[in-house]
Amino acid sequence: MPGEVVDQPNPPALPSHLPDSTLELAVKVDKTLLSKEDAQSLKDFQRAACYIAGSMIFLRDNVLIEQDLQLEHVKPRLLGHWGTCPGLILVWSHLNLLIRDHGMDMIFVIGPGHGAPAALASLWLEGSLERFYPNKYTVNKDGLKNLITGFSVPGGFPSHINSETPGSIHEGGELGYALAVSFGAVMDNPDLIVTCVVGDGEAESGPTATAWHAIKYIDPAESGAVLPILHVNGFKISERTIFGCMDDKEIVSLFSGYGYQVCIVEDLENIDGELHGAMEWAVAEIKKIQTTARSGKPIVKPRWPMIVMRTPKGWSGPKKIDGEFIEGSFNSHQIPVPSANKDEKHLKLLQEWLQSYDAGSLLKDSKPIDSILSILPKNSSKRLGQLKMTYDPHKALDLPDWRPLAVERAQKTSSMKETGKFLDQVAQANPKSFRVFSPDELESNKLSAILDHSGRNFQWDQYSRAQGGRVIEILSEHCCQGFMQGYTLTGRTALFPSYEAFLGIVHTMMVQYSKFNKMAHETEWHGDISSINYVETSTWARQEHNGFSHQNPSFIGAVLNLKAEAARVYLPPDANCFLSTIHHCLKSKNYVNLMIGSKQPTAVYLSEKDAAEHCKRGASVWKFASSEEEGQEPDVVLVGIGVEVTFEVIAAVQVLEKLLPSLRVRVVNVTDLMVLAAESRHPHALQRANFIDMFTDDRPVLFNYHGYAAELQGLIFGRHRPERMSVEGYKEEGSTTTPFDMMMLNKVSRYDLAARALRAAAGRDDKVKSKLDELVRKIDEEVAEIREYITANGKGKLAYRNVVIKTDSYRSRRHLRHA
């Protein structure tokens, strides 16, 4: 059978079997009687913007069609997306009117980010492009020509909304997370309304599907509101959408169950009156919910307003070309006149279509007429492209000192437990500008101390609602990421703790955010923002009850692939170092910070003072753990990067001291992974002389690394004599087993490292070489005994896991065990 053939534009949904009474749940609003002037202004704005948006996709010259179009007037490469633009422009024009009449702060988040022509055309009409690009996109003939001819060509705006687009807080390159970003933006912004258009194709994505539930985490006493608009135009790039094939009864039932009041706007003949009435109703409902909450009598489970807007795909564009439906079909998704740059017939159709908007009467002397300007907010700072919150919002946290929380050296404690105490203080000091967005793992990850003075913020739970909690726990990493992005990009600071294995779920979202941030820094008008901050814990090394499925440190590599200006990866070796690191990250700006630590009790190696200095340097020689003599070069350098693997490095030195006391071993710990990169590749990189001083000029360097070995091998490529360096890390070997067995399975245990050290030293020292086989045999025998014990007893053999941590005085010693 051939593929589906769409035999009519705007095909209706098949009827559902739901009772007609279901539609009683839908909100019926009166079509607001617009004044004659406002009605005309809306139409004029829409026509002018649609003309500009369409022209941006096609024209390289003759941008107002002051003469008949020629093939050379059309761009050689036709790039862009037309289908969603008319609906976005419709909404934009109405938001102008709403802001003008109510004086509100509003951000417009456009989920169909490929609808950039709609946004850019509207921004030019309202003067926002001129505000931020005064020498390029002025509201005159030159500015209009630059906008139209420069779209989707080098030097102009890209085909997706990004941070170069004034008013944008959302990267338009990947569908799915506009709604979560919108909800993050309104948290702790009580006067803000974010209108978020969600395309019906985007609405099929997993992140969007969960984000509809975000209303359940909005406390109207402390936060603003999101007005979602589900734009149902029926088609994706080449197929109908799920929501386009749902009738009104199905849509109303679905979203009513989610907790919304649903208003459907679909009367194309009276669309302006109907949409204006729906928006006025939505604002009134939002104000009612907020007023009651702020008066101390909040509505339990308020039903927040949303709009479902049905308009044709590619509305007002060509109806039919070469026998194919264009308007009202997927053929309008991208380029509605596909051969306009090489076919005279298509060129004529393009001219007829664009001239149907009568742009000459709307853009007199290439400037919008007064009718268009009359619906714009009079205060230009309130216009959708100029709200300061979207481009220069940063407010630094009031951070408490971490040092009073420092733990005495040579104790054993959980880095996460101590960090939770610090976060508790941060939340208390910043009750309206700091939040933790977490999957349902806060208690499991030992961070629950933050709940000592602040609760969770789940408004549908009678035990946590309306209490101003700083923690949002939702079992959706996508929502946590989206909330964090929206919260951060509007000026605040957030933390996203997670099981290590599952941060990869938001890999692409993090990358898209980083692209947004990169481009923002390359504009002159964007201000700083807080860094986004991830804490990875419940690491692969301690998944004895969850097993292989929970062992995955790959998010490190995702961050390492970012531009050096953005990427920061920290692996603090103990609780004091973690406290120092998180304090630093929460006050940093413009980065992606990834902090990795254990939730289990582990050794504290450094005092508060030494931890601060170690973290400042990013790496240092640990003399207390080394066996080299002062003033002598070591035979081998052992490097620990990560909590458990560093413990094994220290233990390996003690194994070697027993096997071969004459071997001189230097221990280095790296807490800032980026110091290892070649100098030209990262701003944190150690200078060449400092690198050689720490890692020697020519001795073997053996890395015991928490992540995948290939990541670190790539990082040290280009360093001095890398052939002497070897890396062992996580190898995708695991099970439900003991912690020490995990070390052995992945070849990062003290015994594996001791054997590596002996082999490396044997390559330089004949005395070691002569004893190598015997020494390695002793190691193998000890490993076999341990494995046999683990298999027989289901636990580690403590006698083989004693490790000595020398105190500052070096006279007393403390025994610690790898649990």
Side-chain angles (χ1 to χ4, degrees), residues 3 17 70 100 212 234 440 462 466 494 510 521 653 657 704 709 729 748 777 811:
H17 298 288
Q70 305 296 317
R100 185 201 74 179
W212 293 112
D440 186 26
Q462 64 267 41
M510 179 274 292
H521 286 304
V653 176
E657 284 180 324
N704 225 33
V748 290
R777 179 180 55 77
R811 286 191 294 269

Side-chain angles (χ1 to χ4, degrees), residues 84 88 108-115 160-161 170-179 182 195-199 202 208 229:
T84 190
L88 298 178
F108 187 17
V109 173
I110 295 174
H114 48 250
H160 290 74
I161 290 170
H170 168 251
E171 175 64 44
E174 180 184 7
L175 295 176
Y177 55 94
L179 196 56
S182 300
T195 298
C196 179
V197 168
V198 178
E202 177 181 23
T208 301
I229 300 178

Side-chain angles (χ1 to χ4, degrees), residues 247-290:
D247 67 11
D248 287 353
K249 291 184 287 185
E250 290 165 323
I251 286 178
V252 169
S253 297
L254 175 66
F255 288 105
S256 295
Y258 278 179
Y260 291 93
Q261 296 183 75
V262 184
C263 180
I264 298 176
V265 172
E266 57 186 344
D267 183 357
L268 299 184
E269 296 300 318
N270 300 287
I271 195 73
D272 285 314
E274 191 171 41
L275 183 55
H276 184 61
M279 285 188 170
E280 288 286 353
W281 159 79
V283 170
E285 287 297 307
I286 287 169
K287 296 300 182 187
K288 181 177 74 175
I289 293 169
Q290 291 176 340

